Amino acid sequence: MNNKLKQLNKKIIKCRKCPRLINFIKKISTVKRKQNINETYWGKPVPGFGKINSKLLILGLAPAAHGGTRTGRPFTGDKSSDFLFSCLKKANISNLPYSENLNDGLELKSTYITNILKCVPPGDKPTNEELTNCSNHFETEIETLSKIQTIVALGKVAFDNCIKYYKSKNKLNRKYTFKHGKYYDLSNKIRLYACYHPSPRNVNTKLISEKMIINFFKKIKRETVI
């Protein structure tokens, strides 16, 4: 990993700006789920994953309580990640159809995965102050990942907060509506796509299907040339 990215990720891991989130992480890591009772949880803010020269950024809202907060990598070790990486593998973006832990051998093709918020919030609902505190980390990620051409926001909250960031930087005035597959050019080099979140609820209610998400990422891969 590039030294600049290493330094950023160290800074994220050491961040303690939001006491409510840090206390919640400690609680989760102590009072574990039954199926993970014998595991040692990561129990810290979760940095992104991928290479510095990535062209595609996959963006979520926050790590899952017993996913990324347990494993130390976003979209790892839960049902959402199982679905996502099965699709990414079939779209030839990931070398594995799963994401289990930091040592599972996962590699991504010109793709970086991160979250707007680096800590899991209670009820998956961060405060505005917490989002503002973490925005500096996201800003540094965007600046460091200078080759990014395409951002895929998984879910409306990630989409809205990504728009909020770029509005603050580029003075964007138009209305941005979250609709799966819809895209907006946020600058002369960054295109943002809206994508339904790969959650079990969205799969079970048939809002999304594996074929639908595979075809979506195949399209992204062609357009981003990765």
Side-chain angles (χ1 to χ4, degrees), residues 123-136:
D124 292 324
K125 294 180 179 179
T127 66
N128 288 333
E129 181 181 7
E130 289 161 353
L131 287 166
T132 299
N133 285 345
C134 217
S135 64
N136 289 336

Side-chain angles (χ1 to χ4, degrees), residues 5-171:
L5 207 52
K6 282 184 179 179
Q7 292 303 313
L8 168 61
N9 288 347
K10 285 180 180 178
K11 187 176 180 180
I12 290 171
I13 292 167
K14 292 179 180 178
C15 183
R16 298 294 183 271
K17 284 185 179 180
C18 305
R20 185 180 81 113
L21 301 187
I22 295 302
N23 288 336
F24 187 56
I25 289 173
K26 288 180 180 177
K27 180 180 177 181
I28 290 169
S29 302
T30 304
V31 185
K32 307 170 187 177
R33 289 192 308 184
K34 186 176 181 180
Q35 59 264 48
N36 305 120
I37 196 68
N38 294 320
E39 294 184 40
T40 300
Y41 275 50
W42 171 257
K44 296 182 284 287
V46 180
F49 171 75
K51 295 180 179 178
I52 195 168
N53 59 353
S54 296
K55 295 180 181 179
L56 170 62
L57 179 67
I58 298 177
L59 183 66
L61 171 61
H66 302 281
T69 304
R70 174 173 60 88
T71 66
R73 188 169 66 200
F75 285 99
T76 300
D78 62 4
K79 290 184 178 179
S80 292
S81 76
D82 290 345
F83 181 88
L84 176 64
F85 279 94
S86 175
C87 295
L88 292 180
K89 168 63 175 173
K90 290 173 182 176
N92 197 27
I93 293 174
S94 167
N95 69 323
L96 296 175
Y98 56 82
S99 177
E100 295 180 342
N101 57 66
L102 290 173
N103 301 308
D104 58 16
L106 176 68
E107 293 183 5
L108 303 174
K109 183 175 291 187
S110 196
T111 300
Y112 197 86
I113 299 180
T114 193
N115 290 301
I116 291 284
L117 197 70
K118 309 308 180 189
C119 298
V120 58
D124 292 324
K125 294 180 179 179
T127 66
N128 288 333
E129 181 181 7
E130 289 161 353
L131 287 166
T132 299
N133 285 345
C134 217
S135 64
N136 289 336
H137 295 317
F138 180 57
E139 179 176 356
T140 306
E141 277 181 318
I142 293 295
E143 291 174 352
T144 304
L145 300 165
S146 59
K147 303 295 184 183
I148 293 294
Q149 298 174 11
T150 304
I151 299 174
V152 172
L154 300 178
K156 185 176 185 299
V157 183
F159 176 87
D160 288 345
N161 280 280
C162 186
I163 291 290
K164 182 179 179 181
Y165 165 76
Y166 275 96
K167 277 187 174 182
S168 72
K169 296 297 176 184
N170 298 340
K171 298 180 180 179

Side-chain angles (χ1 to χ4, degrees), residues 2 13-14 36 47 49 57-58 65 118 123 129-130 135 172 176 181-182 185 187 196 203 212 219 225:
N2 176 274
I13 292 167
K14 292 179 180 178
N36 305 120
F49 171 75
L57 179 67
I58 298 177
K118 309 308 180 189
E129 181 181 7
E130 289 161 353
S135 64
L172 306 175
Y176 297 87
K182 191 173 181 62
D185 291 322
S187 68
Y196 288 134
V203 175
M212 171 185 173
K219 177 178 183 290
V225 192

